[in-house]
Amino acid sequence: MSAPQDRSLAARQRRALGTVDTFSGARLGIARRMARLPRTELAAKVGISPAAITQLERDLIRPATATAAELCLALGVPAAFLLHAVAPQPIPASAVHFRSLRSTPAMSRDQALAFAELSLEVLAAIEDYVDLPGVSLPALDVPARDTPEGVARAAGQARRALGVADGPVPHVVRLLEAHGVLVLRLPDDLTDRRVDAFSTTAGRRPVVLLSPMKDDKARSRFDCAHELGHLLLHHDAEPGSKVIENQAQAFAAAFLTPADQVAEDLPRRLDWPALHRAKRRWGVSLKALVYRAHSLKLLNDAAYRRANVQLAAWGTPEPGPLGPPESPSLLGTAIAMLADIGITIDDIAEHGSLPAERVHDIVDAATNRRPHVEPS
C-alpha cells in the first residue's frame, strides 16, 4: 500500500472513532510553542497536515479522539489540558515590547509568549480561590510624552499615582505586583539567552517577564522600570522601534532617579566613591548613574567618556554588587495561603486542567525562591 493510501486509511480509522466533545485550540498552540515545535513537525508526529494543526489552533475544527490522544502524547501534556474548554488569552507578538526583538529568533519569542499565556491561565485558576490585587495602573496625562521633558513628567506622574514617596523606590517588582501586574522571571531551562525582558498589556492582566540571565539587583530594577514605562506609555504603540525603547529607557531613569532628588547625590566630576554611594542608595547601576549625571549636565563630556572607558574595562558585572535581583512574590504568597488551608499546587493544576509540572514552573517563576540554611 502506498504512503498516500496509508494516510487515507489512518484518517478513516480516526474518523470512525469520532471527535472529541470539547477541545482548546488556544491550549494546543500554547503546548506546541512551549515545546518549540513548528506546525509541520507536530503534524508529522501525529499523522495529519500542518493545515489541520492551524485549523485546530484556531478552533475551526475539532480533532478525532485518536488524534487528540496523539497530540497530548506528542506534546507531553495530560489529556485534560487540551480537552478543557477555556476562554483564550492570546498574546500576539505584535502587542509585546521585547527588549531584543530583532536579535531573538521567532521560535524563542513564541515559546516565551506561550509561557506568559499559560501563566495567565495559572493565575486565573489561583484567582478562583484567592482575591489578588486588581489592575490599577494610572492613565498618564502627558501630551508631549515623545520629548525628554514629557517622559520625565510622565515618570513623575507615575511615581505620584503609584504612591511612591520621595527618594529611592523601595522595591520595583513588588510595586508592580501591588498594582495588578503579573511579574515573572523566565525559567532558565525554558529560555533562549537571547530573550530579554518584555512586557505586554494584551492579556487579562499586564504581564512583565524578566530575564533570568541578569543576576543583579540594579539591572533587574532598571529592567522592571523600563517595562513599566512601556505599560504606561506604549500600550497602543507599535513595539520594536528604537524611539519606543529609548523612551522606556528614559522613563526608567526618571522614575528611579528623579532629577530634582538624585542631583545632590551625583558628583560634578568623575568620583567613583561618590558614584558607589549613590548606587547603594538609589539601587541603580554605576553605568546608569554616569549616564544620568551626564544627561543632567553634571558631568562634562570628557568625564563621561573617561567613565565609560573605565566601565567597559570593568565589564559585567560591574564592581559593587547590590545583591540578588528583585524577585516577584505575589503567586508564592497566594500559594502559601492556600497551603495553609490544605490546597496544593497540584490541586490548582487539577482544578484548571493544567500540566502540574508547568504550574510548578510558573509559581517558581513568580516567587522569591531564596536559599535558606536548615537548622542543624
Side-chain angles (χ1 to χ4, degrees), residues 24-336:
S24 173
R27 284 187 166 187
L28 173 61
I30 288 173
R32 178 183 62 77
R33 289 177 289 144
M34 287 283 287
R36 298 179 67 91
L37 281 177
R39 291 186 179 92
T40 51
E41 193 172 333
L42 178 58
K45 284 178 177 288
V46 300
I48 60 177
S49 70
I53 297 292
T54 300
Q55 290 177 310
L56 287 168
E57 290 186 0
R58 294 177 180 174
D59 285 318
L60 298 176
I61 60 173
R62 289 181 183 170
T65 303
T67 301
E70 290 166 3
L71 286 167
C72 292
L73 184 63
L75 295 168
V77 296
F81 180 67
L82 295 185
L83 303 183
H84 183 79
V86 296
Q89 300 182 43
I91 300 177
S94 60
V96 179
H97 293 280
F98 277 99
R99 294 286 297 276
S100 51
L101 181 63
R102 290 173 179 81
S103 62
T104 308
M107 183 65 75
S108 298
R109 292 200 306 268
D110 285 347
Q111 184 186 38
L113 291 179
F115 184 79
E117 291 173 15
L118 188 58
S119 298
L120 286 171
E121 290 216 25
V122 171
L123 186 74
I126 291 173
E127 285 189 291
D128 285 342
Y129 298 94
V130 178
D131 289 331
L132 298 177
V135 179
S136 57
L137 292 179
L140 303 181
D141 180 22
V142 184
R145 64 181 58 180
D146 55 343
T147 66
E149 297 78 15
V151 172
R153 283 195 295 273
Q157 277 190 19
R159 284 177 65 101
R160 292 188 293 274
L162 295 172
V164 179
D166 285 354
V169 181
H171 200 294
V172 187
V173 172
R174 289 181 188 166
L175 177 68
L176 267 63
E177 289 185 314
H179 290 272
V181 179
L182 176 60
V183 184
L184 307 102
R185 193 170 300 281
L186 285 162
D188 290 302
D189 60 339
L190 278 179
T191 309
D192 184 326
R193 287 180 177 269
R194 289 165 290 187
V195 177
D196 206 330
F198 66 90
S199 58
T200 181
T201 56
R204 59 190 295 270
R205 275 180 185 264
V207 179
V208 168
L209 281 100
L210 302 173
S211 169
M213 308 307 168
K214 298 181 180 178
D215 192 20
D216 178 86
K217 183 176 182 179
R219 295 178 75 189
S220 74
R221 282 167 58 83
F222 206 91
D223 274 0
C224 204
H226 178 109
E227 301 309 326
L228 175 62
H230 282 315
L231 295 179
L232 298 182
L233 299 178
H234 304 138
H235 47 84
D236 55 355
E238 184 75 21
S241 77
K242 188 173 182 179
V243 171
I244 291 295
E245 288 302 310
N246 286 344
Q247 286 178 6
Q249 203 75 347
F251 176 93
F255 185 80
L256 293 175
T257 54
D260 60 337
Q261 299 175 40
V262 76
E264 64 184 26
D265 292 325
L266 295 176
R268 272 58 177 171
R269 58 183 178 82
L270 190 52
D271 179 345
W272 291 112
L275 287 166
H276 275 283
R277 288 193 295 273
K279 176 178 180 175
R280 290 191 295 272
R281 177 164 190 242
W282 291 92
V284 298
S285 68
L286 295 173
K287 184 177 181 179
L289 289 168
V290 165
Y291 180 85
R292 192 75 169 129
H294 182 249
S295 67
L296 296 176
K297 303 187 185 311
L298 303 178
L299 276 185
N300 62 32
D301 291 347
Y304 181 60
R305 284 194 296 271
R306 291 199 307 275
N308 279 300
V309 168
Q310 182 60 70
L311 287 166
W314 281 330
T316 303
E318 66 180 25
L322 299 177
E326 290 188 351
S327 294
S329 61
L330 182 65
L331 291 193
T333 301
I335 290 297

Side-chain angles (χ1 to χ4, degrees), residues 347-359:
D347 293 331
I348 295 291
E350 183 178 358
H351 170 71
S353 298
L354 298 160
E357 180 182 358
R358 290 303 183 208
V359 177

